[in-house]
Coordinates of all heavy atoms in Angstrom, one line a residue:
T1 N 0.8 -1.2 0.0 CA 0.0 0.0 0.0 C 0.9 1.3 0.0 O 0.6 2.2 -0.7 CB -0.9 0.0 1.2 OG1 -1.7 -1.2 1.2 CG2 -1.8 1.2 1.2
L2 N 1.9 1.3 0.8 CA 2.8 2.4 0.9 C 3.5 2.6 -0.5 O 3.7 3.7 -0.9 CB 3.8 2.2 2.0 CG 3.3 2.3 3.4 CD1 4.4 2.0 4.4 CD2 2.7 3.7 3.7
G3 N 3.9 1.5 -1.1 CA 4.5 1.5 -2.4 C 3.6 2.1 -3.5 O 4.0 2.9 -4.3
A4 N 2.4 1.7 -3.4 CA 1.4 2.2 -4.4 C 1.1 3.7 -4.1 O 1.0 4.5 -5.1 CB 0.1 1.4 -4.2
A5 N 1.1 4.1 -2.9 CA 1.0 5.5 -2.5 C 2.2 6.3 -3.1 O 2.0 7.4 -3.6 CB 0.8 5.7 -1.0
L6 N 3.4 5.7 -3.0 CA 4.5 6.4 -3.5 C 4.4 6.6 -5.0 O 4.7 7.7 -5.5 CB 5.8 5.6 -3.2 CG 7.1 6.1 -3.8 CD1 7.4 7.5 -3.3 CD2 8.3 5.2 -3.5
L7 N 3.9 5.6 -5.7 CA 3.7 5.7 -7.2 C 2.7 6.8 -7.5 O 2.9 7.6 -8.4 CB 3.2 4.4 -7.7 CG 4.2 3.2 -7.8 CD1 3.5 2.0 -8.3 CD2 5.4 3.6 -8.6
G8 N 1.7 6.9 -6.6 CA 0.7 8.0 -6.8 C 1.3 9.3 -6.6 O 1.0 10.3 -7.3
Y9 N 2.2 9.4 -5.6 CA 2.8 10.7 -5.3 C 3.7 11.1 -6.5 O 3.7 12.3 -7.0 CB 3.7 10.6 -4.0 CG 4.3 11.9 -3.7 CD1 3.7 12.8 -2.8 CD2 5.6 12.3 -4.2 CE1 4.3 14.0 -2.5 CE2 6.2 13.5 -3.8 CZ 5.5 14.4 -3.0 OH 6.1 15.6 -2.7
V10 N 4.5 10.2 -7.0 CA 5.4 10.5 -8.1 C 4.6 10.8 -9.4 O 4.9 11.8 -10.1 CB 6.3 9.3 -8.4 CG1 7.1 9.5 -9.7 CG2 7.3 9.1 -7.3
A11 N 3.4 10.1 -9.5 CA 2.5 10.4 -10.7 C 2.0 11.8 -10.6 O 2.0 12.6 -11.6 CB 1.4 9.4 -10.7
G12 N 1.5 12.2 -9.4 CA 0.9 13.6 -9.3 C 2.0 14.6 -9.5 O 1.7 15.7 -10.2
D13 N 3.2 14.4 -9.0 CA 4.3 15.3 -9.2 C 4.7 15.4 -10.7 O 5.0 16.5 -11.2 CB 5.5 14.9 -8.4 CG 6.7 15.9 -8.5 OD1 6.5 17.0 -8.0 OD2 7.7 15.5 -9.0
M14 N 4.7 14.3 -11.4 CA 5.0 14.3 -12.8 C 3.9 15.1 -13.6 O 4.3 15.9 -14.4 CB 4.9 12.9 -13.4 CG 6.2 12.1 -13.2 SD 6.0 10.4 -13.8 CE 5.9 10.7 -15.6
I15 N 2.7 14.9 -13.3 CA 1.6 15.6 -14.0 C 1.7 17.1 -13.8 O 1.6 17.9 -14.7 CB 0.2 15.1 -13.5 CG1 0.0 13.7 -14.0 CG2 -0.9 16.0 -14.0 CD1 -1.2 13.0 -13.4
A16 N 2.0 17.5 -12.5 CA 2.0 18.9 -12.2 C 3.3 19.6 -12.8 O 3.3 20.8 -13.0 CB 2.1 19.1 -10.7
S17 N 4.3 18.8 -13.1 CA 5.6 19.4 -13.6 C 5.6 19.3 -15.1 O 6.6 19.7 -15.7 CB 6.8 18.7 -13.0 OG 6.8 17.3 -13.4
D18 N 4.5 18.9 -15.8 CA 4.5 18.9 -17.2 C 4.7 20.3 -17.8 O 4.1 21.2 -17.3 CB 3.2 18.3 -17.7 CG 3.2 17.9 -19.2 OD1 3.2 18.9 -20.0 OD2 3.2 16.8 -19.6
A19 N 5.5 20.4 -18.9 CA 5.8 21.7 -19.5 C 4.5 22.4 -19.9 O 4.4 23.6 -19.9 CB 6.7 21.5 -20.6
A20 N 3.5 21.6 -20.3 CA 2.2 22.2 -20.8 C 1.4 22.9 -19.7 O 0.6 23.7 -20.0 CB 1.4 21.2 -21.5
L21 N 1.8 22.5 -18.4 CA 1.0 23.1 -17.3 C 1.9 24.0 -16.5 O 1.6 24.3 -15.3 CB 0.6 21.9 -16.4 CG -0.3 20.8 -17.1 CD1 -0.6 19.7 -16.0 CD2 -1.6 21.4 -17.6
A22 N 3.0 24.5 -17.1 CA 3.9 25.4 -16.4 C 3.2 26.7 -15.8 O 3.5 27.1 -14.8 CB 5.0 25.8 -17.3
A23 N 2.2 27.2 -16.6 CA 1.5 28.4 -16.1 C 0.8 28.1 -14.8 O 0.7 29.0 -13.9 CB 0.6 28.9 -17.2
W24 N 0.2 27.0 -14.7 CA -0.6 26.6 -13.5 C 0.4 26.5 -12.3 O 0.1 26.9 -11.2 CB -1.3 25.3 -13.7 CG -2.5 25.4 -14.5 CD1 -2.8 26.4 -15.5 CD2 -3.7 24.6 -14.4 NE1 -4.0 26.2 -16.0 CE2 -4.6 25.1 -15.4 CE3 -4.0 23.5 -13.7 CZ2 -5.8 24.5 -15.6 CZ3 -5.3 22.9 -13.9 CH2 -6.2 23.4 -14.9
G25 N 1.6 25.9 -12.6 CA 2.6 25.7 -11.6 C 3.1 27.0 -11.0 O 3.3 27.1 -9.8
A26 N 3.2 28.0 -11.9 CA 3.6 29.3 -11.4 C 2.5 30.1 -10.7 O 2.8 30.8 -9.8 CB 4.0 30.2 -12.7
A27 N 1.3 29.7 -11.0 CA 0.1 30.4 -10.4 C -0.2 29.8 -9.0 O -0.8 30.5 -8.1 CB -1.1 30.4 -11.3

């Protein structure tokens, strides 16, 4: 379960750091 949660954390961080969403990250 902890391993799956870690994958979810990395996935969320990946999505938020996508170059196409850079404006949202700055805001």
Side-chain angles (χ1 to χ4, degrees):
T1 303
L2 292 174
L6 173 60
L7 290 176
Y9 183 91
V10 172
D13 184 62
M14 278 178 66
I15 292 170
S17 61
D18 192 288
L21 305 178
W24 286 25

